[in-house]
């Protein structure tokens, strides 16, 4: 009985081993068959008799009809399938000689090369149009200058220096008034997108000010400062027209709407800089207080230029007398065309660095520093000019005390 059981177990074990061996062999065969890449027929030049050339897609040769330019699958690389396409789709071409399909293939190649050539030419003309629009916007010139001046001048220069063909190529550049306007809008939109994309996710500070343009329209200007790739970047974030009032709430709505439209997180704002106006700097209803409600980490600072203007509003009597004298001298020379021409000629004869003075405008705070610096640099020429004109102010420019005060004011107001 024991021998029978042991022999039975031996038979079962050998049977299981044989089954597992056959199963593993079968799986290995299936894996080898699955890993084996299918083989397809290669393109033969004889297939052109059926109107098919060859095109390579994803490192695979595929048949392409030279008549309708349709690309068939890899499995269709068979004479029977290619012939079927000719008979079903182009039945009117059955019996055409091989030369007919060769000519069709040549025409297709030429058409493709011509299309790529024109496409490159159009892209170059488009790029040139954007370049011209960029320079026009940068120089603040009218949009019509491109078509009326830049293009004719460029064509003439190209014809003279290079040849007639080069001049004809330049005529393909679109530079009409409306085109330049669209190009500038596209450039502006692209620059704004680049700025917004680089600003997202970074801590930043903003500086806001209200200004009135030449058309008496009020605008809210916002500058942004942030760190990008270990570099401190400062750029104009937006300039929005103030359509309603100028209260803190209305100004905040303009800023908040811009932040929401461009998906900028208020929590990344760490600094706000404004002037001392109540609508800007108010602690309860001002713009900076409303911004700090959205950005708790933001620190408000009073604009240093506004503070300087407030501090410079009242000088000591001695310094005020110096500034009064400076303005008087500038107006004496600049407001009289003949004296301005004589002074310019005097500066040219003496080899001075400049040939004219700069006006001072109380509405432009930084103009005082520029005016003082220019006058201090031309102090010797001014002394000569006023002396020849027998002006009593000439003695001021050889007075050491006056020159020291003038140098002091120039230094503190220099940008």
């Amino acid at each position: 009985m024991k021998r029978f059981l042991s022999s039975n177990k031996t038979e079962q074990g050998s049977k299981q081993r044989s089954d597992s061996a056959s199963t593993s062999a079968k799986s290995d065969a299936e894996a080898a068959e699955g890993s084996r890449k299918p083989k397809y027929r290669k393109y033969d030049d004889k297939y052109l008799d059926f109107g098919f050339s060859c095109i390579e897609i994803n490192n695979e040769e595929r048949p392409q009809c030279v008549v309708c330019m349709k690309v068939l699958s890899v499995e269709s690389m068979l004479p029977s399938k290619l012939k079927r396409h000719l008979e079903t789709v182009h039945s009117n071409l059955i019996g055409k000689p091989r030369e007919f399909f060769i000519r069709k293939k040549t025409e297709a190649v030429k058409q493709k090369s011509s299309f790529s050539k024109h496409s490159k030419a159009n892209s170059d003309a488009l790029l040139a149009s954007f370049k011209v629009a960029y320079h026009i916007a940068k120089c603040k010139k009218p949009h019509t200058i491109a078509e009326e001046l830049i293009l004719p001048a460029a064509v003439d220069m190209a014809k003279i220096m290079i040849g007639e063909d080069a001049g004809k190529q330049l005529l393909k550049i679109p530079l009409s008034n409306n085109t330049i306007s669209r190009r500038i809008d596209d450039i502006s939109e692209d620059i704004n997108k680049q700025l917004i994309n680089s600003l997202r996710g970074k801590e930043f500070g903003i500086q806001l000010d209200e200004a009135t343009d030449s058309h008496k329209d009020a605008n809210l200007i916002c500058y942004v400062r942030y760190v990008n790739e270990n570099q401190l970047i400062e750029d104009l974030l937006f300039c929005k027209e103030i359509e309603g009032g100028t209260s803190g709430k209305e100004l905040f709505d303009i800023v908040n709407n811009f932040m929401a439209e461009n998906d900028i997180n208020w929590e990344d704002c760490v600094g706000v800089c404004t002037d001392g106006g109540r609508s800007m700097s108010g602690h309860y209803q001002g713009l900076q207080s409303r911004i700090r409600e959205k950005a708790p980490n933001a620190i408000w600072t009073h604009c240093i230029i506004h503070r300087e203007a407030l501090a410079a509003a009242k000088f000591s009597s001695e310094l005020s007398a110096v500034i009064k004298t400076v303005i008087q001298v500038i107006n004496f020379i600049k407001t009289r065309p003949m004296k301005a021409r004589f002074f310019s000629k005097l500066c040219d004869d003496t080899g001075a660095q400049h040939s004219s003075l700069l006006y001072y405008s109380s509405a432009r705070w930084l103009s005082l520093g520029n005016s003082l610096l220019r006058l201090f640099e031309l102090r010797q020429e001014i002394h000569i000019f006023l002396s020849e004109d027998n002006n009593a102010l000439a003695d001021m420019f050889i007075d050491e005390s006056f020159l020291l005060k003038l140098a002091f004011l120039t230094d503190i107001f220099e940008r």
Side-chain angles (χ1 to χ4, degrees):
M1 186 68 180
K2 292 181 180 179
R3 287 197 302 271
F4 174 76
L5 292 175
S6 61
S7 62
N8 191 16
K9 289 181 180 180
T10 304
E11 291 177 359
Q12 290 178 356
S14 61
K15 184 177 181 181
Q16 290 177 355
R17 285 193 296 272
S18 62
D19 291 342
S20 62
S22 62
T23 303
S24 61
K26 184 177 181 181
S27 61
D28 293 341
E30 291 177 353
E33 184 178 357
S35 61
R36 190 182 300 120
K37 294 183 179 180
K39 293 183 179 180
Y40 299 108
R41 188 186 295 267
K42 295 291 184 180
Y43 177 78
D44 194 335
D45 190 58
K46 296 179 180 179
Y47 295 162
L48 195 58
D49 296 338
F50 306 111
F52 277 89
S53 62
C54 179
I55 185 173
E56 186 173 340
I57 300 177
N58 296 330
N59 297 325
E60 293 179 347
E61 291 184 351
R62 297 188 182 184
Q64 183 181 26
C65 179
V66 297
V67 180
C68 63
M69 306 306 295
K70 183 178 181 180
V71 180
L72 303 184
S73 62
V74 184
E75 293 81 2
S76 300
M77 192 73 80
L78 295 171
S80 58
K81 294 184 178 181
L82 302 180
K83 185 178 180 181
R84 186 190 310 162
H85 176 84
L86 179 64
E87 293 175 348
T88 56
V89 181
H90 310 292
S91 57
N92 58 325
L93 301 180
I94 298 176
K96 289 287 185 180
R98 178 184 176 87
E99 288 75 13
F100 173 80
F101 296 111
I102 293 176
R103 188 167 62 252
K104 285 289 185 181
K105 179 182 177 181
T106 306
E107 292 175 358
V109 172
K110 288 182 179 179
Q111 183 179 5
K112 184 178 180 180
S113 61
S114 176
F115 177 77
S116 61
K117 181 179 179 181
H118 286 297
S119 177
K120 184 179 184 304
N122 292 335
S123 63
D124 292 342
L126 181 64
L127 178 60
S129 178
F130 271 101
K131 289 284 188 180
V132 173
Y134 172 76
H135 288 292
I136 291 175
K138 190 175 181 180
C139 297
K140 301 178 182 179
K141 297 297 182 181
H143 300 169
T144 55
I145 194 174
E147 193 173 23
E148 295 177 355
L149 177 61
I150 297 177
L151 183 59
V155 170
D156 292 339
M157 288 187 290
K159 287 181 178 179
I160 295 172
M161 300 297 296
I162 303 175
E164 292 289 336
D165 294 338
K168 293 179 181 179
Q169 288 293 325
L170 292 180
L171 292 174
K172 298 179 181 179
I173 303 175
L175 294 176
S176 66
N177 181 22
N178 295 333
T179 301
I180 295 298
S181 179
R182 290 196 304 270
R183 298 283 186 265
I184 293 175
D185 291 340
D186 293 339
I187 293 173
S188 176
E189 184 178 355
D190 182 70
I191 292 175
N192 185 63
K193 287 182 179 179
Q194 293 183 38
L195 175 61
I196 297 301
N197 292 333
S198 62
L199 183 62
R200 289 196 185 104
K202 298 182 179 67
E203 293 183 344
F204 62 89
I206 56 176
Q207 181 178 0
L208 299 135
D209 191 21
E210 178 194 350
T212 304
D213 57 19
S214 58
H215 297 286
K216 307 299 181 182
D217 295 328
N219 299 289
L220 181 63
I221 305 174
C222 179
Y223 283 87
V224 64
R225 180 179 291 178
Y226 62 99
V227 177
N228 186 26
E229 297 180 356
N230 297 326
Q231 290 185 350
L232 186 62
I233 307 298
E234 183 175 349
D235 207 337
L236 176 65
L237 186 59
F238 67 81
C239 178
K240 297 287 187 180
E241 183 179 357
I242 302 175
E243 298 178 353
T246 57
S247 64
K249 181 181 182 305
E250 290 169 315
L251 296 179
F252 173 75
D253 290 339
I254 296 175
V255 182
N256 189 44
N257 291 336
F258 179 85
M259 297 295 184
E261 291 173 0
N262 295 278
D263 195 22
I264 300 176
N265 191 359
W266 269 118
E267 295 181 357
D268 294 331
C269 180
V270 295
V272 181
C273 181
T274 65
D275 59 15
R278 180 175 297 180
S279 62
M280 289 285 190
S281 61
H283 289 284
Y284 299 102
Q285 300 296 328
L287 173 62
Q288 65 93 10
S289 64
R290 295 178 182 274
I291 290 177
R292 292 174 66 184
E293 291 177 0
K294 290 278 189 177
N297 298 326
I299 300 174
W300 175 76
T301 55
H302 192 176
C303 177
I304 188 65
I305 299 179
H306 289 79
R307 293 166 66 183
E308 180 182 291
L310 293 173
K314 293 183 179 180
F315 290 107
S316 64
S317 58
E318 295 180 356
L319 296 179
S320 297
V322 173
I323 293 179
K324 184 178 180 180
T325 302
V326 168
I327 297 174
Q328 188 176 354
V329 170
I330 293 175
N331 292 337
F332 175 75
I333 298 176
K334 292 284 290 183
T335 57
R336 295 168 174 82
M338 183 178 294
K339 294 186 181 298
R341 291 195 299 270
F342 286 159
F343 181 74
S344 177
K345 188 176 185 305
L346 174 64
C347 293
D348 293 337
D349 294 340
T350 57
Q353 185 178 0
H354 309 287
S355 60
S356 64
L357 298 174
L358 298 177
Y359 273 121
Y360 162 67
S361 174
S362 58
R364 298 183 179 274
W365 305 324
L366 299 179
S367 66
L368 180 58
N370 297 330
S371 300
L372 289 171
L373 179 61
R374 179 65 61 86
L375 184 134
F376 185 79
E377 292 175 346
L378 296 176
R379 60 189 183 277
Q380 295 179 355
E381 288 76 12
I382 293 174
H383 172 67
I384 297 173
F385 181 80
L386 295 178
S387 299
E388 293 178 353
D389 199 64
N390 296 323
N391 193 305
L393 296 175
D395 296 335
M396 303 296 294
F397 289 88
I398 57 174
D399 184 4
E400 184 176 351
S401 176
F402 175 83
L403 293 177
L404 286 174
K405 295 173 184 177
L406 178 61
F408 173 74
L409 289 172
T410 302
D411 185 56
I412 64 173
F413 279 102
E414 186 178 2
R415 293 181 60 182

